[in-house]
Amino acid sequence: MEEKKFKVYLKEKQELIDSALDSLLSREDIFPMILHRAMRYSVLAPGKRIRPILCLAACMAVGGKEEDALAPACALEMIHAYSLIHDDLPAMDDDDLRRGRPTLHRAFNEGTAILAGDALLTLAFEVVAVAKRLTDRQVRQIITELAIGAGHRGMVGGQQADLNAEGKTITPEELKYIHSHKTGALLVASVLCGAIIGDAGPKQMVHLKKYGQANGLAFQIKDDLLDIEGKSAKLGKSTGQDKKAEKATYPSIWGIEASREKLKEATATAFALLESFGEEAEPLREIARFIGEREA
Ligand code: GRG
C-alpha cells in the first residue's frame, strides 16, 4: 500500500471508530453529567486509535468482517483511554497535557478522573459482553485476552514495575518486562482480539501474537525516542518527561543510536511474521511501518 493510500485508510478507520465510540458512550446530559462529560472528554480527544485499528486490521488479515470487530475495537480504545487518565494522575506521572489538551484531572478534578477511568475500564467489558455480532465463545475469548492484556499480568503489572523502577538503575531485562507489559500487552491483545473475531487458525494466532509483541516493542522504543527527539506540539504532551522522572528507557540504557537499530529490528521482525499472510494483511504491514516512523 502506498503512503498516501495508507493515510486515507488511517483517517477512514479513525472516523469509523470515533463514530462508534460516540454512540457507545453515554450522552453528556445523562446524570451524573460530570462523569459522562469526563469520559467523553478523554475518549473522544484526538488520538491515533492504533489499538482499535490493529484489531480491525487483524480481523481482516485472517478473512474476517470489519464490522464484527468494531465493538471490541472500541473496548480496546476505552481501556487505553482509562490507562492514560490514570497514568496522568498526580500519584503517577502527574502530567498536565494529554492529546494536546489539559489532562482530565486538570480539566475536571482528581476524583472525577479516577472514576471516569474506572467507568471506562468496566464499560469496555460490557461492550464486549453485549456485542451482537460475536458468538458466546468469541466473547469469552476476547474478555480473557482483554483481562490478560490490561490487568496484573499485562498493562497494570508493567505500570507497577515502572513505578517501582523510578529513580533506580534497572537491568535491560527489567526494562524489557516494563515495556512488554505496560505498552506491549494491550497492543498484543488488540491483534489477538481481531484474530479471534476473524476465526484465525492456530498457526495464524501464533504469528499474529508475535507480530503484536514485535509491534509493542517498536512502539515503546519509538515512544522513548520521541520523548527525547519529538516535538511537544505534535505529540500533544510534554517531552523530556522520562529524563525528569529519571525513568529507565531504551535510549537511557542502550543510547540513541542502538535504540534506533533495535527499533528497525523490531519493525523487520513484525514484517517477517506476516510473510505467510496475503494481500489482506497489507494494513497490518503498514501499521508496523507507521509505528516505527510516526512523529506523534
Ligand atoms: C495506569 C494501569 C495504568 C497503565 C498506564 C498507557 C500507560 C500505562 C502509560 C502511558 C505512559 C506512556 C507514555 C506509555 C508509553 C506508550 C503509550 C501507551 C503511549 C500513548 O499511547 P498512544 O501513542 O496515544 O497510542 P494516543 O493518544 O495516540 O492514543
Side-chain angles (χ1 to χ4, degrees), residues 151-167:
H152 65 105
R153 282 161 293 178
M155 186 172 66
V156 172
Q159 181 78 349
Q160 181 66 60
D162 196 23
L163 269 183
N164 298 349
E166 261 176 47

Side-chain angles (χ1 to χ4, degrees), residues 13 28 52 69 74 85 97 100 148 172 174 188 194 215 231 245 274 278 283 286:
K13 299 307 161 204
E28 296 195 350
C74 289
I85 296 168
L97 205 58
I148 292 174
E174 285 166 319
V188 171
N215 251 348
K231 304 258 176 304
L274 297 175
E286 289 300 327

